[in-house]
Amino acid sequence: MITVSNLAVQFGKRTLYKDVNMKFTSGNIYGIIGANGAGKSTLLKAISGELEATKGTIELGPGERLSVLSQDHFKYDEYSVLETVLRGHTVLWDIMQERDALYSKEDFSDEDGIKVAELEDKFAHLGGYTAESDAAELLSGLGIKDEMHGKLMGDLSGKEKVRVMLAQALFGEPDNLLLDEPTNDLDLETVEWLEEYLGNFEHTVLVVSHDRHFLDQVCTHTVDIDFNKVTLFAGNYSFWYESSQLALRQAQNQKLKAEERKKQLEEFIRRFSANVSKSKQTTSRKKMLEKLNVEEIQPSTRRYPGIIFQMEREAGNQILEVEDLKAVADDGTVLFEHLNFTVQKDEKIVFLSRDPRAMTALFEILNGNRQPNEGQFSWGVTITTAYLPLDNTQFFNTDMNMLDWLSQWGQGNDVYFKAFLGRMLFKDEDILKSVNVLSGGEKMRLMIARMQLNNANCLILDTPTNHLDMESIQAFNNNLKLYKGNVLFASHDHEFINTVANRIIELTPNGVLDKLMNYEDYIADAHIKEQREQLYQA
């Protein structure tokens, strides 16, 4: 349990929030949401003690342990992977060190024997005798294989370190767990493992994430940071989003009477309460929703970018033909081969692989930036494409300002291009900023604005939600669902895939799976699951 009393956080003259009073209780998972800069990560840092709050107190339950997902991926470089995980339980680790030091003494005394007995009792109580196997099991669940457990952290890739740090945070089932973007750099299967793990976790969890499906699957409550306040709601992200959108529509309808507004909100809560059957905590969440005060629901201050893809012309019947395509990575790994498929009108295809290099290679080939090792492809004569690459570094090796940068990708006057920048939430004072100093999220929004200039009838998107905030992801997702052209994309966002794709093509070194179905049906199908394993293990 975590009790927050009269918390306030202020930087200079800017107050992020004040008078925060709430209790986070065991058995619940709290998703913390808010616009960029609202103070989501700051709240976690204040609770963990990494940041000193301007005012207020944070208290844990008596004797409880707090664990935090570390963002410092270099801190443990000199330690082995397994030791790094064990060090996450500091109380157990200190006992292990003291116990081992006593056992190694040459002049072992009676007093040492008494002390060792005490330590052994504590060691057993904390699960010390199964600690290494428990840590190894966590690592394996997160995709870190047994042969890597003895490696030094400094020898791991950045993505591998992320998984080890997550295992460290989870190790020993802490009473209170703080997770800041835990799904970053995890593949879809590992995210599913984490969802199941947290679904069975019986303690207190606070999590910041841009992964909407993850928040929906694991969270019993939503903590919304808005209006310089921190507000606790029952329900997951989808409930918060749909209710805030309903409140916004009501606010825009000045003629709607108070009683009618209340009636609409109560009906919405009833419908949502009846639709939480997949939740691990269905009963408690449903009761909380039914008790929710409708007066608490209000429009958010968040701004959503205007991501609107339009087609200059409708596509003909011939979209794309791919014949016997093969791609090999620089290290000699076969990413895919014998790849054959035909894209039909209205298809939105997600490409999957356990090796993300496979999708990037395919998209680079289709855009003429890379030669296939074998095979060929042909676009229909009516097809125009717009491409969002995984790596956009080359586009920003310039000191041009935003307006000049965007102007080079289309035709029109300054007013025309300013309109696109404005839709992507860039203010007038921003547009003269040099593009090489922009954040990752700002660069992505510029790349999306560039794509919109094309008015293409086929979009190619390589992991489009990277670096985007929740509002941009939601806007992107909403528009792609309505977009009339073809979409070829790769993503690690479950919700994005499931709501956009109507066809799945999975690339493996030993063959291809090609199914006309949505993503959730695809991963739930036992026969397909067996086929996938056979293809990856062949």
Side-chain angles (χ1 to χ4, degrees):
M1 182 174 69
I2 301 172
T3 304
V4 179
S5 304
N6 298 317
L7 182 73
V9 176
Q10 183 174 339
F11 296 107
K13 294 183 179 180
R14 185 189 175 210
T15 300
L16 284 181
Y17 27 76
K18 60 182 179 179
D19 301 325
V20 180
N21 292 280
M22 53 186 59
K23 188 175 289 187
F24 303 107
T25 56
S26 185
N28 290 312
I29 300 180
Y30 301 84
I32 302 174
I33 64 172
N36 276 359
K40 303 182 292 294
S41 296
T42 300
L43 180 60
L44 292 188
K45 288 176 181 177
I47 290 172
S48 71
E50 182 182 342
L51 179 146
E52 186 177 349
T54 308
K55 181 183 176 184
T57 60
I58 310 289
E59 293 182 352
L60 304 181
E64 289 187 348
R65 183 168 74 91
L66 176 72
S67 183
V68 182
L69 175 59
S70 175
Q71 302 297 317
D72 184 352
H73 298 161
F74 303 99
K75 183 177 179 180
Y76 299 91
D77 278 1
E78 63 188 273
Y79 303 114
S80 74
V81 167
L82 190 63
E83 181 178 333
T84 298
V85 176
L86 294 173
R87 282 175 170 270
H89 194 328
T90 54
V91 176
L92 177 61
W93 178 257
D94 290 345
I95 289 172
M96 289 171 69
Q97 299 313 295
E98 188 176 357
R99 169 177 165 267
D100 291 347
L102 286 170
Y103 277 130
S104 64
K105 286 180 67 174
E106 293 183 3
D107 54 341
F108 193 84
S109 65
D110 290 344
E111 190 177 314
D112 291 332
I114 295 170
K115 182 63 177 176
V116 164
E118 292 174 356
L119 291 172
E120 287 287 1
D121 186 55
K122 292 178 182 177
F123 184 72
H125 179 70
L126 293 172
Y129 292 110
T130 61
E132 289 196 7
S133 61
D134 292 343
E137 186 177 348
L138 275 174
L139 287 165
S140 297
L142 287 163
I144 302 297
K145 297 178 181 178
D146 290 352
E147 56 266 28
M148 297 178 67
H149 295 182
K151 283 188 174 182
L152 290 179
M153 285 289 285
D155 295 331
L156 268 56
S157 69
K159 291 185 178 182
E160 290 166 340
K161 284 183 177 181
V162 166
R163 294 165 186 249
V164 177
M165 299 315 296
L166 183 53
Q168 184 194 68
L170 299 175
F171 176 64
E173 290 213 5
D175 303 290
N176 304 283
L177 180 59
L178 308 184
L179 301 174
D180 194 350
E181 297 293 356
T183 63
N184 275 5
D185 292 318
L186 300 185
D187 59 31
L188 288 159
E189 291 180 347
T190 309
V191 172
E192 288 171 23
W193 177 90
L194 182 59
E195 288 171 355
E196 185 174 351
Y197 183 92
L198 291 178
N200 295 313
F201 194 76
E202 297 179 352
H203 306 295
T204 306
V205 183
L206 275 67
V207 57
V208 172
S209 177
H210 286 134
D211 188 326
R212 297 159 300 156
H213 182 269
F214 177 75
L215 291 176
D216 279 349
Q217 287 296 103
V218 304
C219 292
T220 57
H221 298 74
T222 298
V223 177
D224 181 34
I225 303 178
D226 202 356
F227 306 99
N228 296 112
K229 295 192 301 183
V230 182
T231 309
L232 178 63
F233 294 98
N236 57 20
Y237 172 78
S238 286
F239 173 76
W240 171 85
Y241 175 74
E242 295 296 340
S243 60
S244 69
Q245 292 298 298
L246 174 59
L248 177 61
R249 290 193 294 273
Q250 289 182 338
Q252 291 169 342
N253 185 353
Q254 299 295 330
K255 296 179 182 179
L256 204 61
K257 294 180 180 178
E259 280 302 311
E260 182 63 23
R261 285 202 302 273
K262 185 174 180 180
K263 185 178 177 182
Q264 284 186 7
L265 287 167
E266 287 174 340
E267 175 59 27
F268 168 75
I269 292 168
R270 276 194 294 272
R271 282 191 289 107
F272 191 90
S273 297
N275 194 36
V276 292
S277 58
K278 291 184 180 180
S279 169
K280 305 280 187 189
Q281 300 89 0
T282 300
T283 304
S284 61
R285 186 186 298 176
K286 188 171 181 177
K287 288 178 180 177
M288 290 287 288
L289 288 169
E290 288 167 348
K291 294 177 183 176
L292 184 65
N293 180 2
V294 296
E295 301 301 326
E296 293 177 357
I297 299 176
Q298 56 184 320
S300 170
T301 63
R302 293 169 179 75
R303 298 176 64 210
Y304 293 80
I307 300 177
I308 305 168
F309 291 106
Q310 298 176 325
M311 302 187 300
E312 192 167 307
R313 63 178 297 182
E314 188 174 338
N317 292 325
Q318 293 184 330
I319 311 296
L320 174 65
E321 292 271 356
V322 172
E323 298 178 28
D324 209 28
L325 218 58
K326 178 179 179 180
V328 179
D330 292 340
D331 63 4
T333 303
V334 175
L335 300 174
F336 56 81
E337 60 182 337
H338 308 306
L339 177 60
N340 295 277
F341 64 89
T342 300
V343 179
Q344 307 292 340
K345 285 190 71 171
D346 303 323
E347 285 187 336
K348 297 175 180 178
I349 306 172
V350 63
F351 293 86
L352 306 176
S353 178
R354 290 181 182 172
D355 190 337
R357 295 178 299 174
M359 285 85 77
T360 297
L362 175 62
F363 295 152
E364 287 290 293
I365 289 168
L366 295 180
N367 281 278
N369 301 330
R370 171 176 176 161
Q371 290 299 312
N373 294 85
E374 291 178 13
Q376 58 188 2
F377 65 94
S378 60
W379 291 99
V381 294
T382 63
I383 304 304
T384 53
T385 63
Y387 179 38
L388 186 66
L390 178 66
D391 182 4
N392 59 35
T393 306
Q394 62 172 326
F395 292 91
F396 297 100
N397 290 330
T398 174
D399 59 1
M400 276 194 282
N401 64 48
M402 285 192 205
L403 184 60
D404 290 342
W405 184 92
L406 189 61
S407 299
Q408 67 183 323
W409 307 111
Q411 294 182 342
N413 57 27
D414 285 358
V415 174
Y416 175 75
F417 292 110
K418 282 180 179 179
F420 279 92
L421 292 170
R423 278 188 354 208
M424 298 308 294
L425 305 183
F426 292 113
K427 300 174 183 176
D428 285 345
E429 57 267 30
D430 293 330
I431 63 177
L432 296 180
K433 190 190 300 183
S434 175
V435 297
N436 58 19
V437 300
L438 299 180
S439 68
E442 289 171 326
K443 288 177 179 176
M444 278 295 285
R445 281 189 280 133
L446 264 189
M447 291 294 289
I448 294 168
R450 170 183 175 269
M451 287 183 71
Q452 291 177 78
L453 294 173
N454 290 22
N455 291 323
N457 52 29
C458 181
L459 307 179
I460 304 174
L461 311 169
D462 194 350
T463 324
T465 60
N466 271 10
H467 304 295
L468 293 180
D469 58 24
M470 193 86 85
E471 292 70 47
S472 298
I473 293 171
Q474 189 76 58
F476 208 159
N477 198 164
N478 290 347
N479 183 250
L480 287 187
K481 289 191 287 186
L482 301 173
Y483 178 66
K484 300 298 184 184
N486 290 97
V487 183
L488 313 179
F489 72 106
S491 178
H492 47 62
D493 186 310
H494 184 119
E495 184 73 9
F496 204 90
I497 296 172
N498 197 55
T499 54
V500 174
N502 53 26
R503 182 178 174 186
I504 316 283
I505 297 181
E506 184 154 5
L507 311 173
T508 84
N510 305 298
V512 177
L513 278 174
D514 189 344
K515 303 292 181 182
L516 278 169
M517 60 201 316
N518 70 26
Y519 180 65
E520 287 193 350
D521 290 341
Y522 181 79
I523 59 175
D525 190 299
H527 179 62
I528 291 175
K529 192 175 293 185
E530 185 179 340
Q531 284 181 293
R532 295 174 72 202
E533 290 305 317
Q534 289 173 351
L535 284 171
Y536 281 109
Q537 293 174 10

